[in-house]
């Protein structure tokens, strides 16, 4: 984070509160951009067993928040937006622990190890693990991906040309 600026050490409680509220606001905007992607794609009533809509949703879950983060950062001009990747990483970590703690039984992931359990839950479009009610892509992949993409877009918008 050495971009030529000094990082002030003695921030007031008000400054920290403003930064925390901006961090939460940018995280919610990233989630909102993902919600827009999901609503638009669901209007077409995609086949839940097909891999094509899931792949398209994954691509759009990365691109739309990326552009959204760049636009919002250009409009608001604050330094907090590029740090929303932290929210994505925290959510992904929490969901990973949750999935690893879920019991497996007779079904798609009966004898899965930890890595296979996570891989089939978050990164497989066909033959998923069946865990998290089949919403592993939404909760564990698209949600963190949208926050990370938002942060990348915000970072690119903050860079001088």
């Amino acid at each position: 984070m050495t971009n030529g600026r000094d990082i002030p050490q003695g921030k007031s409680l008000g400054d920290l509160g403003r930064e925390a509220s901006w961090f939460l606001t940018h995280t919610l905007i990233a989630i909102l951009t993902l919600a827009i992607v999901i609503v638009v794609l669901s209007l077409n009533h995609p086949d839940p067993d097909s891999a094509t809509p899931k792949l398209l949703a994954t691509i759009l879950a990365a691109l739309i928040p990326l552009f959204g983060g760049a636009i919002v950062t250009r409009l608001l001009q604050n330094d907090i937006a590029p740090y929303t990747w932290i929210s994505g990483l925290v959510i992904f970590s929490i969901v990973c622990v949750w999935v690893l703690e879920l019991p497996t039984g007779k079904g798609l992931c009966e004898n899965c190890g930890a890595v296979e359990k996570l891989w089939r839950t978050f990164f497989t479009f066909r033959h998923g693990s069946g865990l998290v009610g089949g919403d592993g892509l939404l909760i564990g992949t698209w949600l963190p991906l949208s926050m990370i993409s938002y942060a990348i877009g915000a970072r690119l918008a903050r860079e001088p040309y």
Side-chain angles (χ1 to χ4, degrees):
M1 310 292 164
T2 57
N3 54 2
R5 303 182 290 181
D6 289 332
I7 299 173
Q9 298 297 322
K11 292 185 179 182
S12 70
L13 190 59
D15 291 338
L16 294 173
R18 272 188 294 282
E19 287 181 2
S21 65
W22 275 116
F23 181 79
L24 181 62
T25 301
H26 286 293
T27 300
L28 293 175
I29 292 171
I31 293 170
L32 180 64
T33 58
L34 176 64
I36 291 169
V37 168
I38 292 170
V39 166
V40 168
L41 287 176
S42 67
L43 291 175
N44 293 326
H45 304 289
D47 180 19
D49 296 327
S50 176
T52 306
K54 295 173 186 176
L55 179 62
L56 179 63
T58 303
I59 292 168
L60 291 177
L63 290 179
I64 301 302
L66 182 104
F67 293 125
I71 292 168
V72 169
T73 301
R74 286 278 183 191
L75 293 175
L76 296 179
Q77 292 294 319
N78 73 16
D79 295 331
I80 305 302
Y83 298 106
T84 55
W85 66 269
I86 297 169
S87 293
L89 185 64
V90 168
I91 287 176
F92 183 70
S93 300
I94 290 170
V95 174
C96 282
V97 170
W98 176 41
V99 166
L100 288 174
E101 292 295 320
L102 288 174
T104 57
K106 297 194 185 282
L108 297 175
C109 202
E110 184 175 353
N111 297 317
C112 292
V115 174
E116 186 179 5
K117 202 177 195 184
L118 293 174
W119 184 263
R120 289 180 66 181
T121 302
F122 301 138
F123 305 114
T124 302
F125 297 135
R126 291 192 172 117
H127 309 297
S129 67
L131 301 171
V132 195
D135 291 332
L137 282 172
L138 172 65
I139 298 168
T141 305
W142 297 339
L143 190 59
L145 180 63
S146 68
M147 292 176 200
I148 292 168
S149 295
Y150 184 91
I152 292 170
R155 180 71 178 168
L156 293 174
R158 297 290 300 161
E159 292 294 317
Y161 294 105

